[in-house]
Amino acid sequence: MPMKIVPDRFISLRVPAWLMLGIVVLVAFAACVQEDDLTPDQRAYTLDRELMCPVCDGQTIDQSHAQIAVDMKQIVREKIAEGESNEEIRDYFVARYGEVVLAAPEASGFNLIVWLMPAVIAGGGGLAVVWVLKNMRRNSERYAAATNVTLADRQLKKYLDKVDSDIGRMQSSDAQDEVGRESRNE
């Protein structure tokens, strides 16, 4: 039997590791896009999706057709034309309407929980999946060991039953031969 250079468990871990590395690389490249790389229209569109309409329930100014949302979109475009940064434009609307105008709360104070919970849930889910897979592997190994013993026992029982039946036939044929001899002797 040839010796394995890499155990199976490392091979099974290689695929998820490459997949996770690919995801991290994609996220890193996506995060590299900077404000200066975008056109004014792209910046305006991004800001429109980040600002909530003050009078609409759960709609950004990008989604809303209310007059205040239309006015806010116009202000965003004017401030971009004036050369203000996205952060300055967001601060303008926060000063005017409060933090509720931001579609995504800032990652500070109590709002930090909102930002951390998805990572905690994903990490806990990942640990749960690993734990379940380990238990499934351990239980399958136990089942396989128990099944092999049971299979061997069943095969042995079949063999012994066959031997018993063969011995029984031999005894019955011996008994019949004995009966036949006795009847001939009489």
Side-chain angles (χ1 to χ4, degrees):
M1 176 180 237
M3 182 179 198
K4 286 189 176 182
I5 296 173
V6 179
D8 289 338
R9 68 174 188 221
F10 291 120
I11 292 172
S12 65
L13 292 176
R14 207 177 278 171
V15 173
W18 280 107
L19 184 64
M20 289 301 293
L21 180 64
I23 291 171
V24 168
V25 168
L26 285 175
V27 169
F29 281 129
C32 289
V33 175
Q34 295 184 1
E35 186 177 309
D36 298 337
D37 298 337
L38 301 175
T39 66
D41 287 336
Q42 290 172 329
R43 282 184 58 206
Y45 181 70
T46 300
L47 283 167
D48 289 348
R49 290 183 301 161
E50 293 176 2
L51 297 171
M52 300 297 290
C53 176
V55 295
C56 308
D57 287 333
Q59 288 186 336
T60 60
I61 61 173
D62 179 46
Q63 300 167 332
S64 176
H65 298 291
Q67 185 59 45
I68 192 165
V70 173
D71 293 342
M72 288 174 73
K73 285 187 223 178
Q74 184 59 37
I75 292 170
V76 166
R77 279 147 185 77
E78 288 171 5
K79 293 202 172 284
I80 288 173
E82 292 172 5
E84 292 188 27
S85 69
N86 288 1
E87 191 62 36
E88 291 171 333
I89 296 170
R90 272 189 232 101
D91 289 343
Y92 169 81
F93 285 107
V94 167
R96 193 156 190 186
Y97 299 104
E99 262 193 56
V100 295
V101 78
L102 297 176
E106 290 187 28
S108 63
F110 186 72
N111 292 339
L112 191 59
I113 293 172
V114 173
W115 287 98
L116 293 178
M117 284 309 290
V120 170
I121 291 170
L127 289 175
V129 166
V130 168
W131 181 75
V132 165
L133 290 176
K134 279 187 174 185
N135 280 339
M136 286 174 65
R137 181 177 294 165
R138 190 176 314 132
N139 289 340
S140 69
E141 289 169 359
R142 288 180 191 159
Y143 178 75
T147 304
N148 288 340
V149 169
T150 306
L151 181 61
D153 287 344
R154 277 188 267 148
Q155 290 173 342
L156 180 63
K157 185 174 181 338
K158 283 181 183 179
Y159 175 74
L160 292 175
D161 288 344
K162 183 165 176 37
V163 168
D164 287 344
S165 69
D166 288 348
I167 291 174
R169 275 189 237 142
M170 289 172 61
Q171 288 176 350
S172 68
S173 68
D174 288 344
Q176 288 175 356
D177 288 343
E178 189 72 34
V179 170
R181 275 187 242 143
E182 284 178 14
S183 61
R184 277 186 260 148
N185 288 340
E186 291 176 2

